[in-house]
Amino acid sequence: CAPGRQLLLRGGTDVNFSPPAAHSALVLAPLLARMGVYLDARVAARGFNDGGPLGQVTVAACCETPLPPLNLTERGKPTSLRAFV
């Protein structure tokens, strides 16, 4: 798709009660891609909310317009299984 927007985010990448930065690439991006929104999230540095160094994530996004509705009313059959340690 056409070039979209790019964000530079600084802060905690792995903090309590929040999805970790990997969530963007492994869960959010594939779901949004089904709607025509494409994300490229790259973690340049990890950070925590303990007063230490800040994390840094670059997110590039583009989308097709208009966005179609996303139908998630049926579970479907599993197509693969991956584990991350």
Side-chain angles (χ1 to χ4, degrees), residues 4-64:
R5 303 286 185 229
Q6 188 169 3
L7 300 171
L8 175 61
L9 306 171
R10 292 188 179 126
T13 59
D14 300 279
V15 298
N16 293 333
F17 309 110
S18 300
H23 181 270
S24 297
L26 300 174
V27 178
L28 183 61
L31 182 61
L32 290 176
R34 292 175 58 181
M35 294 177 60
V37 178
Y38 302 97
L39 289 183
D40 181 21
R42 297 173 189 252
V43 178
R46 296 213 175 268
F48 303 90
N49 63 346
D50 61 359
L54 295 177
Q56 184 170 310
V57 178
T58 302
V59 180
C62 66
C63 68
E64 301 169 357

